[in-house]
Amino acid sequence: MNGKSIVEYFEGIILNEAVMEKFQFIAANLILALVSLIMTMINFIVDRGPAFACLFLALVCIANVVLSFVHKYTYIFARIIFVLELFVVLIYFIISGNPEGFSANWIILLPSCALILYKRKIGTVISTFGLLLLLFFYYLPWGESFLQYDYSEVYMGRFPILYFTLFMFALFFDVVRQMTYDKLVEVQDEYKTLYRRDALTGVMNRYGFDAELKSLIINEDYTIKQLVFMIFDLDHFKSINDTYGHDVGDIVLRESVNKISQITKGKVCRWGGEEFALLMTNRALTANDIDGYCKEFAKNPIVVDKLSLHITVSIGAIIVEDNVVPSIDKLYREADECLYLAQNNGRHRAIIKKSA
């Protein structure tokens, strides 16, 4: 995998919220499993209680990673299990206090992890529950009765305040992160729209057309009984620019888009210069229908100020049936060959071919 493909791969992850969420969940479980295995080895020498707790956490995290790849429902199950396992281990650490009261400090990771992995609403609920646990065990006499470690009064008094502070920091930065992400997606969508649109006519350009055609062909849920690809070429358009100027030519191009769209009832793409393309599916079109488009376009002139311009078109069209879609390159090439024949046989006509 080259450098460019790696960048594109991670861009795809970042800009797809669902994929990013799953990626973060798997990464968090892998990191936590690695740390837990390291702590298991360290604690096994010192105190086997925390060692077994860390080993339990590591094994469940590894299981979560596996479940994330099996099915979407096992992934959802893994996300629930992850929260439960964290609270089980953290409650054990708080109660046991092993080793020397340090293990309870791991709970300060809860707010940031919860907000990153479960978004703001659920993450806030998880973080708040963690704060309530600390208040229960450190501030209430009944909760303190469960503690097996003699925490200092200063520690129990101040640690929940530290947790709350970190929670508020995590919440603030999550709000900023979400606003930044939303803006990034908005700008990305605007960029895609501009990149795929022709600035003059406002319709799709060739890049946008390619993307739409590819997504249609790979859509397994859509049955293509008939696919028709057409290229319209404005006959002798250069003479309009030479005679009346490019301003008039630009208006003719925009009006031609509207005209083709009205005649065909299809989505028009600016193929390049004075050429426009259409892709229509499952319309049961015949060669006579396409030839009719050619005649219909020439019926009424295009009016620009006081000019009345009678413009004709040549059409190259490919008809594909029975859900047998050729390669995109072949589709384009055959339509272009048909258009070339139409232009060289006197223009103002349609040449149609059924693709094998």
Side-chain angles (χ1 to χ4, degrees):
M1 183 179 290
N2 57 44
K4 184 177 180 181
S5 61
I6 291 173
V7 171
E8 290 173 345
Y9 172 75
F10 280 103
E11 281 180 351
I13 291 176
I14 292 169
L15 294 174
N16 187 317
E17 198 165 2
V19 175
M20 185 62 178
E21 183 182 88
K22 188 172 183 179
F23 175 78
Q24 290 177 155
F25 180 76
I26 292 170
N29 273 274
L30 289 174
I31 292 170
L32 200 54
L34 178 62
V35 173
S36 297
L37 287 172
I38 294 172
M39 295 304 297
T40 298
M41 290 185 288
I42 295 173
N43 287 324
F44 199 81
I45 301 171
V46 181
D47 192 330
R48 293 190 177 183
F52 285 123
C54 291
L55 181 60
F56 164 77
L57 183 60
L59 292 176
V60 178
C61 285
I62 294 171
N64 285 339
V65 173
V66 175
L67 290 172
S68 298
F69 288 104
V70 175
H71 194 274
K72 64 178 181 180
Y73 294 117
T74 58
Y75 168 61
I76 294 171
F77 179 71
R79 289 175 66 82
I80 297 171
I81 291 297
F82 184 66
V83 176
L84 295 177
E85 72 178 272
L86 282 182
F87 277 114
V88 168
V89 173
L90 290 173
I91 289 172
Y92 166 76
F93 283 157
I94 292 171
I95 292 175
S96 69
N98 292 321
E100 299 181 4
F102 174 81
S103 294
N105 296 330
W106 285 104
I107 199 172
I108 62 176
L109 293 176
L110 189 61
S112 55
C113 287
L115 289 167
I116 290 172
L117 299 181
Y118 295 90
K119 299 184 181 177
R120 195 174 311 147
K121 186 181 291 185
I122 297 176
T124 300
V125 172
I126 294 171
S127 302
T128 302
F129 188 71
L131 178 61
L132 293 176
L133 279 179
L134 290 176
L135 295 177
F136 172 73
F137 285 116
Y138 291 163
Y139 283 10
L140 298 180
W142 189 51
E144 286 187 49
S145 66
F146 287 97
L147 299 178
Q148 298 174 8
Y149 182 81
D150 186 20
Y151 295 98
S152 70
E153 292 294 328
V154 173
Y155 178 89
M156 290 194 296
R158 295 185 179 181
F159 188 71
I161 298 173
L162 172 64
Y163 177 92
F164 177 74
T165 304
L166 293 173
F167 168 49
M168 294 306 295
F169 267 108
L171 184 60
F172 170 75
F173 285 111
D174 183 72
V175 171
V176 174
R177 179 195 64 81
Q178 189 62 51
M179 290 172 62
T180 305
Y181 178 81
D182 291 343
K183 188 63 180 177
L184 175 64
V185 172
E186 181 185 334
V187 171
Q188 180 77 1
D189 289 341
E190 289 178 3
Y191 169 76
K192 283 182 178 179
T193 300
L194 292 172
Y195 191 57
R196 295 181 177 186
R197 293 280 169 183
D198 176 58
L200 176 63
T201 60
V203 297
M204 284 187 298
N205 57 24
R206 191 160 178 170
Y207 175 81
F209 186 88
D210 285 346
E212 189 160 302
L213 177 56
K214 287 174 184 175
S215 66
L216 177 68
I217 290 175
I218 66 175
N219 186 357
E220 296 179 354
D221 298 327
Y222 186 70
T223 301
I224 304 175
K225 295 180 181 178
Q226 185 196 62
L227 182 148
V228 179
F229 175 65
M230 294 177 282
I231 303 176
F232 285 65
D233 179 75
L234 304 186
D235 294 330
H236 307 294
F237 177 75
K238 185 177 182 299
S239 65
I240 295 174
N241 277 335
D242 293 343
T243 305
Y244 304 108
H246 287 277
D247 289 345
V248 172
D250 289 347
I251 296 173
V252 168
L253 290 173
R254 287 194 290 266
E255 290 300 318
S256 296
V257 167
N258 295 333
K259 209 171 187 184
I260 295 171
S261 180
Q262 290 170 5
I263 292 168
T264 62
K265 310 299 181 188
K267 292 175 69 174
V268 185
C269 155
R270 187 170 183 194
W271 197 243
E274 66 273 19
E275 292 182 354
F276 303 93
L278 286 93
L279 178 75
M280 293 189 283
T281 57
N282 301 337
R283 297 270 290 270
L285 294 175
T286 65
N288 287 335
D289 294 325
I290 298 171
D291 191 58
Y293 295 154
C294 189
K295 294 180 174 65
E296 189 71 21
F297 187 94
K299 268 187 181 181
N300 300 311
I302 293 177
V303 178
V304 182
D305 294 330
K306 296 180 180 180
L307 294 172
S308 184
L309 303 173
H310 292 271
I311 299 171
T312 61
V313 291
S314 300
I315 301 175
I318 297 297
I319 298 177
V320 184
E321 295 178 331
D322 300 325
N323 206 31
V324 181
V325 181
S327 70
I328 294 175
D329 290 340
K330 182 181 178 184
L331 198 67
Y332 293 169
R333 183 176 65 253
E334 290 185 346
D336 198 53
E337 288 171 356
C338 289
L339 178 62
Y340 179 80
L341 289 174
Q343 291 168 332
N344 282 273
N345 287 333
R347 301 181 185 268
H348 184 30
R349 68 191 65 237
I351 300 295
I352 302 102
K353 175 183 177 183
K354 283 197 173 184
S355 182

